[in-house]
Amino acid sequence: MALGLLWLGLVLLGVLQTQALDSTPNLIPAPPLRRVPLQPDFQNVEFQGKWYVLGLAGNEFNKEKDSQLKMYTDTFELNEDNSYNVTSALAWDQRCDHWTKIFTANLHLDQYTVGNIERYTGIQSYTAQVVTTDYNQFAILYFKKVYDNQENIKVVLYGRTKELPPVKAIFIIFAKFLGLTDEHIIFPIPNDQCIDE
């Protein structure tokens, strides 16, 4: 009798695990961070300032669902300990939202751990790294977030102005190198609300 109950329990556990796996979204796996290029000789002082978000790619983005996303800004303010306060400004529901994240430098100045994640339920880790930048026109950053044991990746194309830089093609190629498709790549709609204050 006890052996039969144990067997039934194991079978039910297997069924529940299978159902849980089947209900998990089919996300493109995140590559190991060591496979993602880093900006050589990163200059953190030159990188600070306002950046417009001109392109986004990620395994949670969908071109159809996210096609109305408006352009927003991230402003990087360098601290004495080489961390950044990163303030985002975004137009949302006829109002301006601002929030600040802390990017703490890892071993390399071009790789950061996003701090103060405790207030976001389910986030286990959040890493950002500078893939490439010329500091004056564009930057491409890679983000890897572990949320409820799932790895989410995001690539951001930044510009110092609202105009798409000539590196748009490099941004798309890099996103596809990560396994993303055209359906995962969006270009936010330019706007003036909130981001030019």
Side-chain angles (χ1 to χ4, degrees):
M1 176 77 168
L3 190 57
L5 287 174
L6 178 63
W7 181 250
L8 178 62
L10 290 173
V11 169
L12 289 174
L13 182 62
V15 168
L16 289 173
Q17 282 183 324
T18 302
Q19 287 177 345
L21 289 175
D22 289 343
S23 66
T24 303
N26 193 12
L27 296 177
I28 293 168
L33 287 173
R34 69 183 182 284
R35 281 197 52 222
V36 177
L38 291 168
Q39 171 70 31
D41 194 28
F42 180 67
Q43 304 297 312
N44 58 356
V45 173
E46 289 182 49
F47 189 79
Q48 65 183 337
K50 182 190 278 190
W51 290 95
Y52 293 90
V53 175
L54 305 176
L56 293 163
N59 58 0
E60 287 191 307
F61 289 110
N62 177 287
K63 188 175 275 187
E64 184 178 321
K65 177 182 66 120
D66 298 314
S67 66
Q68 296 303 307
L69 182 67
K70 291 182 180 176
M71 185 182 292
Y72 61 97
T73 60
D74 285 339
T75 302
F76 289 75
E77 180 185 340
L78 187 63
N79 298 312
E80 287 183 17
D81 64 356
N82 290 318
S83 66
Y84 284 107
N85 290 343
V86 182
T87 302
S88 299
L90 172 72
W92 190 265
D93 288 336
Q94 304 303 317
R95 64 184 179 138
C96 295
D97 274 352
H98 295 87
W99 67 93
T100 301
K101 301 171 287 297
I102 299 167
F103 283 31
T104 304
N106 287 347
L107 185 58
H108 304 282
L109 287 181
D110 45 9
Q111 187 178 73
Y112 296 85
T113 300
V114 180
N116 61 335
I117 60 172
E118 306 80 36
R119 60 186 195 169
Y120 303 104
T121 306
I123 296 181
Q124 295 154 289
S125 68
Y126 205 159
T127 305
Q129 62 187 53
V130 181
V131 175
T132 185
T133 185
D134 71 352
Y135 305 99
N136 299 316
Q137 295 178 17
F138 77 92
I140 297 175
L141 270 68
Y142 171 82
F143 295 84
K144 178 180 176 182
K145 174 177 69 175
V146 179
Y147 177 80
D148 285 340
N149 296 319
Q150 291 191 3
E151 294 181 334
N152 301 300
I153 59 174
K154 177 173 75 171
V155 181
V156 178
L157 173 60
Y158 286 113
R160 290 291 190 185
T161 69
K162 294 179 189 177
E163 301 298 318
L164 273 172
V167 295
K168 175 184 174 185
I170 293 171
F171 166 74
I172 293 170
I173 290 167
F174 179 64
K176 290 182 176 182
F177 161 77
L178 296 173
L180 302 169
T181 68
D182 288 333
E183 291 304 309
H184 298 107
I185 301 170
I186 60 172
F187 295 96
I189 301 167
N191 75 91
D192 297 324
Q193 188 181 0
C194 302
I195 61 176
D196 288 325
E197 297 176 348

